[in-house]
C-alpha cells in the first residue's frame, strides 16, 4: 500500500512539474514575449527563447545518449525511510524559506551571508540533528566518471556562451579588485553552494523517495523560485514564466547531469560558466 501510494504521488509530482513548464512557455508565446531576461544584474541583456531552450535541450539529449562507462554509486542507499523523509522536508523548508526571506530583506552585501546561513549552515545543522547518531549519509559519492559528461557540457557551453545565441556582455563592470572579489563570492555561493544544496542535498533525497524525474522537477522549480525576487512588480506573470523558462530549465539540465553521472563537479563547472564574467570576457575577446 505504501509503495503504491508513493508511486501515485511521484506520478502526480511529475505531471504537475511538466504542467508548470508547459504553462510558462505557453504564457510567454501567447503574450508575444520572445525575449526574456537571463539575469537580474543591472544592464544585463535579454535573450531569445531559443537561447533559453536550445542549449539545455541539447545537453539533455547528449546526457541521455552518452551513458557513464562505470555505473555510478547510488547515494543515500540504505538510509531509513523515516529519516530520509524528515531530511527531505528539511531541505524543502530551506529551499522555500530562502526566496521568502529575500522578499523582505534587501538584496545588499548581506545577501551572501543570508544564503550561506539558509542553504548551508541550517541544512548542515538539520542533517546533523536528524541523523541522531545514525549512519552518515553520503549524498556525494566519489566521482567514477569524468569523460561521459563532456559532450553534454561542451554542447551547452558552445550554444549558450559562444555562438549567436550567447547574450552580449552589456553590464558596466566595476574596478578589477571589486570584480575579483565579487567573482569569488559568486563562485562560492552560487556555482558551488547552489549545486551542493539543490542538486546534492535536495534532489538526491527526493530521488531516493520519488525517483529521478519527479525529483528533478521539484528541485528545478525550487531552484527557479530562488530567482523570483528578480521579478518586477508590474510584470509578475511574465516574470514567473521567465524564471521557470530560463532558470528552471537550466535546473532541469543540471539535475539530469547530476542524476546521470553523479559527478557534482560537472554541474558546478557548468554553473561557473554561467556566472563568471571572466568567461564572458574571454569568449568575447577571441
Amino acid at each position: 500500500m505504501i509503495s503504491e501510494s508513493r508511486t501515485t504521488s511521484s506520478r502526480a509530482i511529475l505531471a504537475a512539474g511538466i504542467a508548470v513548464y508547459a504553462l510558462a512557455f505557453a504564457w510567454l508565446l501567447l503574450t508575444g514575449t520572445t525575449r526574456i531576461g537571463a539575469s537580474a544584474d543591472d544592464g544585463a541583456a535579454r535573450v531569445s527563447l531559443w537561447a533559453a531552450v536550445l542549449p539545455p535541450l541539447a545537453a539533455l539529449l547528449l546526457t541521455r545518449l552518452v551513458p557513464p562507462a562505470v555505473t555510478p554509486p547510488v547515494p543515500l542507499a540504505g538510509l531509513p525511510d523515516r529519516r530520509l523523509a524528515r531530511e527531505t522536508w528539511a531541505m524543502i523548508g530551506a529551499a522555500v524559506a530562502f526566496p521568502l526571506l529575500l522578499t523582505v530583506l534587501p538584496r545588499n552585501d548581506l545577501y551572501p551571508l543570508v544564503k550561506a546561513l539558509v542553504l548551508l549552515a541550517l541544512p548542515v545543522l538539520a542533517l546533523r540533528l536528524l541523523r541522531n547518531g545514525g549512519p552518515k549519509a553520503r549524498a556525494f559519492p566519489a566521482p567514477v566518471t569524468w569523460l561521459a559528461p563532456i559532450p553534454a557540457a561542451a554542447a551547452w557551453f558552445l550554444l549558450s556562451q559562444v555562438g549567436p545565441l550567447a547574450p552580449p556582455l552589456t553590464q558596466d563592470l566595476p574596478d578589477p579588485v571589486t570584480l575579483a572579489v565579487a567573482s569569488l563570492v559568486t563562485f562560492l555561493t552560487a556555482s558551488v553552494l547552489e549545486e551542493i544544496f539543490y542538486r546534492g542535498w535536495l534532489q538526491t533525497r527526493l530521488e531516493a523517495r520519488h525517483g529521478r524525474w519527479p525529483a528533478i522537477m521539484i528541485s528545478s522549480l525550487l531552484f527557479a523560485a530562488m530567482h523570483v525576487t528578480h521579478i518586477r512588480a508590474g510584470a509578475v506573470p511574465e516574470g514567473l514564466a521567465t524564471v521557470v523558462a530560463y532558470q528552471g530549465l537550466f535546473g532541469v539540465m543540471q539535475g539530469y547531469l547530476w542524476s546521470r553521472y553523479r559527478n557534482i563537479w560537472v554541474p558546478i563547472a557548468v554553473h561557473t560558466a554561467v556566472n563568471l564574467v571572466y568567461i564572458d570576457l574571454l569568449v568575447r575577446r577571441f
Side-chain angles (χ1 to χ4, degrees), residues 135-205:
K136 291 184 178 180
R138 286 186 59 87
F140 302 98
V144 297
T145 181
W146 292 91
L147 296 179
I150 290 178
W156 171 85
F157 180 80
L158 291 173
L159 286 172
S160 67
Q161 306 297 309
V162 178
L165 296 177
L169 183 61
T170 57
Q171 300 100 310
D172 293 328
L173 300 180
D175 63 89
V177 174
T178 301
L179 179 60
V181 172
S183 297
L184 177 60
V185 171
T186 299
F187 171 73
L188 294 174
T189 62
S191 304
V192 176
L193 177 54
E194 289 176 15
E195 293 308 316
I196 287 176
F197 177 81
Y198 286 98
R199 255 58 73 178
W201 288 343
L202 173 60
Q203 180 184 311
T204 306
R205 285 169 171 80

Side-chain angles (χ1 to χ4, degrees), residues 50-72:
W50 288 115
V53 172
L54 287 182
L57 286 185
L60 285 168
L61 178 61
L62 286 170
T63 302
R64 177 69 183 87
L65 292 177
V66 182
V70 179
T71 302

Side-chain angles (χ1 to χ4, degrees), residues 152-277:
W156 171 85
F157 180 80
L158 291 173
L159 286 172
S160 67
Q161 306 297 309
V162 178
L165 296 177
L169 183 61
T170 57
Q171 300 100 310
D172 293 328
L173 300 180
D175 63 89
V177 174
T178 301
L179 179 60
V181 172
S183 297
L184 177 60
V185 171
T186 299
F187 171 73
L188 294 174
T189 62
S191 304
V192 176
L193 177 54
E194 289 176 15
E195 293 308 316
I196 287 176
F197 177 81
Y198 286 98
R199 255 58 73 178
W201 288 343
L202 173 60
Q203 180 184 311
T204 306
R205 285 169 171 80
L206 286 165
E207 279 190 67
R209 305 203 75 230
H210 296 287
R212 171 181 285 168
W213 285 108
I216 291 175
M217 285 295 170
I218 296 176
S219 59
S220 66
L221 289 173
L222 288 173
F223 174 74
M226 182 183 65
H227 300 83
V228 295
T229 54
H230 302 172
I231 298 173
R232 300 190 308 274
V236 173
E238 177 188 336
L240 289 174
T242 295
V243 296
V244 171
Y246 193 85
Q247 283 86 0
L249 192 56
F250 178 79
V252 171
M253 177 191 74
Q254 293 285 77
Y256 193 34
L257 282 170
W258 164 242
S259 180
R260 180 77 157 154
Y261 302 118
R262 297 301 185 200
N263 186 335
I264 195 62
W265 295 109
V266 174
I268 286 176
V270 170
H271 207 142
T272 301
V274 171
N275 289 329
L276 287 191
V277 70

